[in-house]
């Protein structure tokens, strides 16, 4: 698999299937691990970084996974390609923006990614479409076990897996579920959800994790505590609140349909209309309108467009993806024109009824 | 103090902007490292002391850790052990790992964690006056302690 092969495809986790997939976009688990015999990265010089990268590169490449894995050298990569992988959720902004020896192993279906020399020596991530945290855990636990056969992780009996930042120590686990909550945003009920989750120590973040905005009404719910609870307890705590949030979102969607059906239908149709006809459009407006259209499909207000197409458009209309698709560097203004053009093409072809 | 509601009239686009800015923005949350920094605020006098506390392994001082929010090596957790306790409790509300244990760790340590868990379950059972459950847990703990002290822990 070459990086450019990814340009026209999309990850399996975007296929819009799995339990509760109308509201739950994806489930994700990541583990933070460090090699016992090396300092953490803030205290590693170039030679040490390269040594860690070489060692983990080897072990990651040797992994036997259900899908073939490709290892990419992030240090040698162009900035556009690095940003492309961030938009794709395959690497973090930290891995994209830092310097020195680093890399990432990616499975062909884009469900598994193993980042080398991020904040920790190794960050393992497993993604699934819909609400599927148990599946994520099963797979990531297996990958972690097979690496553990080969390397000695920094681990203490009292504090568990030792990580560069004390907020990850213990299990090193981050369990996240990405939700699409347009009705809760529209009715401003999202604030209550946000406050309730904070009280039980769950974090709410935007599409691209820590510090990012909640674009397109996407919210990521994840655990903050990593020490003193088992992995399954932590997964359980995140999993337990999801049905309640889904229930709220459904309740407010139904109320909107019942009380303001015409307004809602109008809003959704206009959003669809703009996306199909605009000549220039920003990334923010695209996200906002796609969010309306996505909800419209789920409520049966739009019937000639599929959810996986919309999921894919959220990713493919972002700056690095557009430039990869056009095969050239584009200024912001040029991108807006290219984005509108791409949207018109994609939405016209999806309407070609045979 | 009670806030007085006020009415505003906005077009669809402005309403959208208004909603978005009014919404609690996850972006305004301090980054993880920042949180560590803030929780560790101390007086100048203490700073000199913290500078002396240096990890012999990676050379990072506790003060450097404080300002970066990142450790230099795994051994820091041992070197800064005392200072860290309050911090970890602040972040996680706990100080004892009870999740996955690498296969390479001694098998006995896994049992130690089970004991910790069983003891906390026992405390809970007693507090809830579930005496049958408490008796069962006490037996399990005793059996495990005996096994550990006799070194008949794990055959593998």
């Amino acid at each position: 698999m070459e990086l450019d092969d990814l340009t026209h495809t999309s990850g399996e986790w975007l296929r819009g299937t799995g339990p509760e997939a109308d509201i739950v976009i994806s489930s994700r688990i990541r583990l933070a691990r460090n090699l016992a015999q090396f300092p953490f990265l803030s205290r590693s010089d170039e030679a040490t970084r390269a040594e860690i990268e070489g060692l983990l590169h080897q072990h990651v490449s040797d992994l036997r996974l259900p899908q073939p894995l490709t290892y990419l050298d992030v240090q040698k990569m162009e900035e556009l390609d690095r940003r492309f992988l961030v938009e794709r959720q395959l690497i973090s902004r930290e891995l994209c923006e830092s310097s020195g020896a680093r890399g990432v192993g990616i499975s062909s279906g884009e469900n598994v990614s193993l980042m080398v020399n991020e904040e920790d020596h190794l960050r393992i991530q497993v993604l699934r479409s819909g609400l599927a945290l148990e599946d994520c855990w099963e797979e990531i636990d297996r990958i972690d076990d097979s690496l553990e056969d080969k390397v000695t992780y920094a681990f203490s009996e009292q504090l568990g897996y030792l990580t560069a930042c004390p907020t990850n120590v213990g299990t090193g686990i981050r369990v996240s579920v990405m939700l699409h909550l347009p009705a809760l945003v529209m009715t401003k009920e999202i604030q209550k959800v946000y406050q309730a989750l904070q009280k039980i120590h769950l974090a709410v973040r935007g599409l691209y994790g820590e510090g990012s905005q909640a674009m397109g009404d996407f919210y990521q719910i994840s655990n903050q505590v990593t020490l003193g609870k088992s992995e399954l307890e932590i997964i359980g705590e995140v999993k337990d609140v999801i049905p309640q949030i889904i229930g709220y979102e459904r309740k407010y969607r139904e109320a909107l349909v019942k009380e303001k059906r015409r307004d809602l239908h109008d809003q959704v149709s206009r959003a669809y209309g703009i996306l199909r006809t605009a000549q220039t459009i920003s990334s923010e407006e695209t996200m906002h309108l796609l969010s309306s259209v996505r909800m419209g499909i789920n409520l049966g207000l739009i019937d000639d467009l599929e959810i996986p197409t919309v999921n894919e458009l959220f990713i493919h209309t972002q700056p690095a993806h557009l430039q990869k698709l056009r095969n050239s560097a584009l200024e912001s203004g040029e991108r807006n024109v290219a984005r509108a053009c791409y949207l018109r093409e994609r939405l016209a072809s999806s309407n070609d009824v045979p | 103090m009670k806030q007085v509601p006020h009415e505003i009239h906005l077009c669809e686009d402005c309403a959208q902007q208004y909603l978005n800015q009014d919404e609690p923005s996850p972006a305004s949350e301090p980054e993880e490292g920042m949180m560590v920094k803030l929780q560790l605020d101390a007086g100048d006098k203490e700073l000199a002391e913290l500078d002396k506390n240096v990890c012999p392994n990676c050379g990072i001082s506790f003060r450097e850790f404080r300002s970066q929010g990142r450790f230099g090596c795994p051994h820091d957790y041992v070197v800064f052990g005392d200072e860290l306790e309050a911090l970890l409790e602040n972040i996680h509300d706990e100080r004892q790992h009870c999740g996955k244990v690498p296969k390479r760790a001694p098998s006995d340590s896994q049992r130690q964690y089970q004991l910790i868990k069983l003891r906390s379950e026992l405390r809970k059972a007693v507090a809830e006056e579930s005496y049958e459950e408490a008796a069962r847990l006490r037996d399990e703990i005793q059996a495990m302690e005996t096994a550990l002290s006799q070194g008949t822990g794990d055959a593998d």
Side-chain angles (χ1 to χ4, degrees), chain B residues 78-151:
Chain B
V78 179
V79 180
F80 306 144
D82 294 339
E83 290 91 339
L84 277 181
E85 276 202 2
L87 171 68
L88 290 174
E89 206 156 312
N90 210 331
I91 302 173
H92 300 288
D93 226 13
E94 291 280 346
R95 336 175 155 180
Q96 177 63 55
H97 175 61
C98 66
K100 186 172 177 175
V101 174
K103 272 175 278 173
R104 290 183 173 220
S107 60
D108 271 359
S109 66
Q110 299 214 31
R111 288 169 175 265
Q112 304 278 8
Y113 298 132
Q114 281 175 32
L115 271 177
I116 291 155
K117 253 195 123 168
L118 287 173
R119 285 200 192 100
S120 98
E121 278 171 22
L122 173 62
R123 276 199 301 276
K124 211 167 138 194
V126 172
E128 286 168 0
E129 301 185 351
S130 315
Y131 294 116
E132 264 185 35
E133 172 78 350
R136 189 188 63 77
L137 286 164
R138 194 157 26 232
D139 290 346
E140 206 175 325
I141 291 167
Q142 267 167 13
M144 199 172 276
E145 279 174 341
T146 315
L148 276 174
S149 65
Q150 289 171 352

Side-chain angles (χ1 to χ4, degrees), chain A residues 43 141 157-158 163 174, chain B residues 32 64 72 77 97 100 113:
Chain A
R43 286 269 154 175
D141 189 30
E157 300 205 350
Q158 197 207 328
T163 51
R174 186 79 71 228
Chain B
E32 283 176 358
E64 280 173 282
Y77 281 97
H97 175 61
K100 186 172 177 175
Y113 298 132

Side-chain angles (χ1 to χ4, degrees), chain A residues 115-133:
Chain A
M115 284 184 271
V116 174
N117 286 357
E118 206 246 21
E119 181 182 297
D120 294 293
H121 297 156
L122 184 66
R123 290 276 178 104
I124 315 170
Q125 164 182 289
V126 172
L127 269 164
R128 282 279 187 283
S129 181
L131 187 56
L133 288 172

Side-chain angles (χ1 to χ4, degrees), chain A residues 57-70 107 112 114 138-139 141-147 149-150:
Chain A
H57 179 165
Q58 187 57 51
H59 290 305
V60 166
S61 302
D62 286 349
L63 277 174
R64 294 263 160 269
L65 298 182
Q67 291 182 337
L69 200 88
T70 305
S107 73
V112 178
L114 297 106
E138 237 172 70
E139 173 145 30
D141 189 30
R142 211 168 29 232
I143 295 171
D144 186 46
D145 280 347
S146 29
L147 285 166
D149 277 343
K150 303 283 188 331

Side-chain angles (χ1 to χ4, degrees), chain A residues 42-75:
Chain A
S42 64
R43 286 269 154 175
S44 295
D45 55 17
E46 261 317 299
T48 314
R49 273 187 83 104
E51 203 180 334
I52 298 166
E53 197 273 336
L55 199 87
L56 285 173
H57 179 165
Q58 187 57 51
H59 290 305
V60 166
S61 302
D62 286 349
L63 277 174
R64 294 263 160 269
L65 298 182
Q67 291 182 337
L69 200 88
T70 305
Y71 189 89
L72 303 168
D73 185 336
V74 176
Q75 186 182 15

